[in-house]
């Protein structure tokens, strides 16, 4: 399930990528869909827009659900408040009229991906310390490595925030 669940989105992204680049060639736009409008009729445009929308929406849902469960189960935050925290960044981006697709996707991916990475390292540390059973596999990372990973992720989040708002 993990292998198929990881490979299927990758394959679909490559199909989308090669389709867009194959149709628009050197006139490919950063948003991909805008360049398609100049090359294909409305029916194809609708299909391309739907494909792009579902690619982004499913990614957000997958990451958002994982992040919500991390807040809920691991940090004991109320289920509804955890979902609010997950949706807060995209909501603020929308309210501040941030409509540049590539910029918003980069910002959300950098901030939410970095936050998720930090939380996963913290969960890993807690599980190693408080775990009640021996796992099927284990990473024996020194504490310095864990702290370095967190530092790099936090610096990435800070960079994304500064780059986005400045």
């Amino acid at each position: 399930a993990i292998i198929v669940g990881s490979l299927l989105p990758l394959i679909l992204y490559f199909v989308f990528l090669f389709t867009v680049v194959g149709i628009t060639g050197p006139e490919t736009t950063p948003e991909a869909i805008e360049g398609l409008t100049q090359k294909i009729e409305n029916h194809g445009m609708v299909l391309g827009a739907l494909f792009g929308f579902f690619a982004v929406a499913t990614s957000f849902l997958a990451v958002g659900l994982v992040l919500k469960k991390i807040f809920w189960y691991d940090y004991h935050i109320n289920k509804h408040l955890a979902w609010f925290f997950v949706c807060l960044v995209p909501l603020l981006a929308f309210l501040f009229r941030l409509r540049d697709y590539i910029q918003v996707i980069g910002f959300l991916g950098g901030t939410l991906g970095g936050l998720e990475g930090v939380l996963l390292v913290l969960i890993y540390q807690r599980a190693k310390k408080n775990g009640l059973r021996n796992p099927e596999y284990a990473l024996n990372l020194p504490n310095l490595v864990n702290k370095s990973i967190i530092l790099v992720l936090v610096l990435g989040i800070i960079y994304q925030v500064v780059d986005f708002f400045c």
Side-chain angles (χ1 to χ4, degrees):
I2 293 172
I3 293 171
V4 172
S6 297
L7 288 178
L8 187 60
L10 181 68
I11 292 167
L12 290 175
Y13 284 132
F14 275 113
V15 168
F16 179 72
L17 169 81
F18 287 119
T19 302
V20 169
V21 173
I23 292 172
T24 59
E27 297 168 5
T28 303
T29 60
E31 298 85 15
I33 302 302
E34 183 181 329
L36 284 174
T37 60
Q38 301 167 2
K39 296 287 184 182
I40 58 178
E41 296 178 16
N42 286 341
H43 293 85
M45 181 57 199
V46 170
L47 289 175
L50 284 173
F51 188 83
F53 169 77
F54 284 120
V56 172
T58 55
S59 295
F60 173 75
L61 284 175
V63 171
L65 287 172
V66 167
L67 201 52
K68 175 193 161 205
K69 288 182 180 183
I70 289 172
F71 286 143
W72 183 23
Y73 292 131
D74 298 318
Y75 290 98
H76 308 290
I77 295 174
N78 176 284
K79 176 171 62 170
H80 301 295
L81 189 59
W83 189 242
F84 173 75
F85 286 152
V86 169
C87 294
L88 183 63
V89 173
L91 178 63
L92 289 175
F94 178 78
L95 292 176
F96 283 109
R97 301 174 135 337
L98 304 170
R99 304 290 198 274
D100 183 347
Y101 178 75
I102 299 300
Q103 187 181 17
V104 170
I105 293 297
F107 175 72
L108 293 177
T111 54
L112 294 179
L115 177 63
E116 183 178 14
V118 168
L119 292 173
L120 287 173
V121 172
L122 294 173
I123 290 168
Y124 162 76
Q125 288 177 323
R126 181 176 275 180
K128 289 220 28 129
K129 181 179 175 185
N130 299 334
L132 299 177
R133 69 176 192 88
N134 289 330
E136 288 75 19
Y137 59 92
L139 299 173
N140 293 315
L141 299 176
N143 199 26
L144 180 63
V145 172
N146 292 330
K147 289 181 180 182
S148 298
I149 292 170
I150 290 173
L151 177 65
V152 168
L153 290 169
V154 168
L155 289 174
I157 293 169
I158 292 169
Y159 172 79
Q160 279 295 337
V161 170
V162 169
D163 184 54
F164 192 71
F165 289 108
C166 295

